[in-house]
Each structure stands twice: as structure tokens, then as C-alpha cells.
Amino acid sequence: MTTLLQASQLCAGYGRLQIIRDISVRVPERQLTVVVGPNGAGKTTLMRALVGIIPISGGSVTLAGTQVNSLGVSRRVANGLVLVPEGRHLFAQMTVEENLELGGYLLKQSERRALLDQVLALFPRLAERRKQLAGTMSGGEQQMVAVGRALMGKPKCMLLDEPSLGLAPKMVTELFRILRQICDAGTGVLLVEQNVRQALSVCDHAYILEQGQVVADGSGPELLQGERVRRSYLGL
Ligand code: ATP
């Protein structure tokens, strides 16, 4: 199985404050991979370190076999590593279509149009509302625009930081269904989630992050049946 993204022994933090320690995670092709953990565990910090928003103090990040440690954020994006951050960050006064097109700004126009059609086919709701201002879309729809915009960059691997936050349960199910399709089509997906039960139910492999370290990993069903998850996350 091709590994699209690999973090090995990653250490990072803010200034002298080390938040994540010796984290190793792997995102294989066609395997929906998730990171779950409580508030403050370091999930967002891990995402930031992977895409280069914050520097790492140890370890390495490899994208499709190439080490990217020394590349800045924009070079990593150009190489196919994108982050859909928590909170979406859309251009509210631009239409859905314009927001999506911005994600493909590096592509030639003909390629961008073709990819836009593919993305709209994946998100029928966005296709219906392509001319609507992004700021007037519902929370779930805006999240889909953010994911669609990231796809317009033709990523090798997409990282998503809590995309289900604040969404109605039906929207969360729809979003996870689409992420599965994206993953099956060959784009790597690493998903950070607080929604532990649902994330473990849909993923292929999960890592549990606590206090900046991976404390367990395994398949979704394995972890759902394990003592740690049942006690600490499912209240059983
Ligand atoms: P949540 O689920 O609540 O979003 P998280 O697992 O994503 O949490 P992080 O946001 O990575 O956790 O935060 C991990 C720790 O790093 C926290 O103690 C937080 O206070 C600290 N932290 C986050 N950002 C900064 C920053 N810019 N400067 C200093 N400390 C920070």
C-alpha cells in the first residue's frame, strides 16, 4: 500500500513550549485515517506541524516518499499537502463557485474548469447553489465548500481539522460519506475529530492522541471495542 503521508517521531510546539512529542502517523492510499483525542491533546498542533505552519523541533514529514521538512507552507501545498483548517475561512462575499475556483488558482483555466465540474459532481448541493454567496450557505454547506476548495488544489493528501464541528448529525454523515469517496478515489485523507464514536465507525485506521503523544492506534472496530475508548470516550 502506497504511503501518501508519513510523520516520524515528530516533535513541535510554540516557542519553548513543546506540545507534541515523538508522534508517528501514516496515511496510506485509500485508507481513511483519523486522529482523535480530548481538548488540548495537540491535534491542531500536529496538523500545523505537518503542513509547516509551525516549525518542528524533531522528526520528519514525508509526502509521497519525499521529505518535506525544509519546505514552507506554500511549497508543501504546491507539492500536494493541503489543510482544511477548523473554522473554514471562506470568502463570504464571493460565490460558492468563485471560492472553489480560488482553490485551483495554480491550474490552467481548462484544467480548472474540468476539475470544478468533478468537484461539483461530488457535492450535488454545491452544484445547485454554485452562484450563492458562500457566507449565506449553512454551516455544513460551507464546510463542503472548504473541502471542495481544497480538492481544487489536486492534493495528494488532505488534512481536515474537525470538519464536523457544529454540524447537524445528517450533515456529518454526508460529509463523512464524501470523505470516504475522496479517499477511495486515491487522495489521502487525515481527519482530526472529537466526534470519537462516529470517526472510529467510518475510518480504516485511527490514532488516539493524549497530552501530545499517540497512546494507541488500530482499526476503528478494534479501538471501539477497546477498554480505553469505551471508558474515556464513550462513557461505557
Ligand atoms: P481542541 O480539540 O480543543 O481543538 P487540540 O487537541 O487541537 O484541542 P491544540 O489546539 O493543538 O489541541 O492545543 C494543544 C496545546 O497547545 C494546548 O495546551 C494549547 O493551549 C496549546 N497551544 C495551542 N496554540 C498555541 C499557541 N499559538 N501558543 C501557545 N500554546 C498554544
Side-chain angles (χ1 to χ4, degrees):
M1 218 174 328
T2 310
T3 298
L4 295 174
L5 183 70
Q6 170 105 50
S8 305
Q9 307 276 294
L10 209 61
C11 302
Y14 304 96
R16 282 198 201 146
L17 187 65
Q18 192 176 45
I19 302 289
I20 56 170
R21 286 184 303 283
D22 294 330
I23 291 194
S24 296
V25 297
R26 193 166 87 88
V27 183
E29 195 175 20
R30 296 193 170 80
Q31 294 264 298
L32 187 52
T33 306
V34 308
V35 174
V36 295
N39 285 326
K43 302 181 297 295
T44 297
T45 304
L46 171 63
M47 296 289 117
R48 288 181 182 146
L50 288 170
V51 297
I53 294 172
I54 58 169
I56 59 174
S57 52
S60 70
V61 181
T62 305
L63 177 67
T66 306
Q67 214 202 70
V68 295
N69 286 14
S70 58
L71 303 185
V73 180
S74 56
R75 293 280 305 282
R76 290 191 207 195
V77 171
N79 281 312
L81 182 60
V82 298
L83 171 67
V84 180
E86 200 180 322
R88 305 185 272 269
H89 304 286
L90 298 180
F91 293 96
Q93 296 304 320
M94 292 169 75
T95 66
V96 166
E97 187 170 300
E98 286 164 346
N99 269 278
L100 291 174
E101 282 186 332
L102 276 177
Y105 73 102
L106 288 172
L107 306 177
K108 285 198 214 108
Q109 198 182 354
S110 56
E111 199 182 355
R112 190 163 60 233
R113 296 305 306 182
L115 192 56
L116 179 65
D117 288 343
Q118 280 179 31
V119 169
L120 289 174
L122 192 61
F123 298 93
R125 195 183 287 253
L126 301 188
E128 282 164 24
R129 291 159 183 259
R130 60 201 286 173
K131 300 293 179 200
Q132 189 171 324
L133 293 183
T136 64
M137 301 282 277
S138 76
E141 290 163 350
Q142 289 192 30
Q143 190 61 61
M144 290 183 187
V145 178
V147 175
R149 187 178 57 185
L151 279 178
M152 290 292 297
K154 291 180 77 177
K156 290 190 182 81
C157 188
M158 185 157 68
L159 314 182
L160 300 108
D161 195 355
E162 302 209 20
S164 71
L165 208 66
L167 301 192
K170 248 173 115 174
M171 273 298 201
V172 177
T173 305
E174 173 67 1
L175 182 69
F176 284 177
R177 187 187 64 76
I178 290 169
L179 292 180
R180 165 59 69 187
Q181 270 183 278
I182 292 170
C183 186
D184 287 348
T187 300
V189 177
L190 180 62
L191 177 65
V192 162
E193 268 298 329
Q194 270 199 47
N195 196 336
V196 174
R197 189 190 296 268
Q198 207 164 0
L200 293 182
S201 311
V202 298
C203 75
D204 294 299
H205 198 89
Y207 295 86
I208 302 183
L209 196 62
E210 290 179 6
Q211 296 180 4
Q213 287 186 299
V214 172
V215 294
D217 78 298
S219 71
E222 235 166 57
L223 291 173
L224 274 172
Q225 282 156 22
E227 182 62 19
R228 180 188 295 273
V229 168
R230 288 167 60 80
R231 193 171 13 103
S232 307
Y233 297 95
L234 305 179
L236 300 172

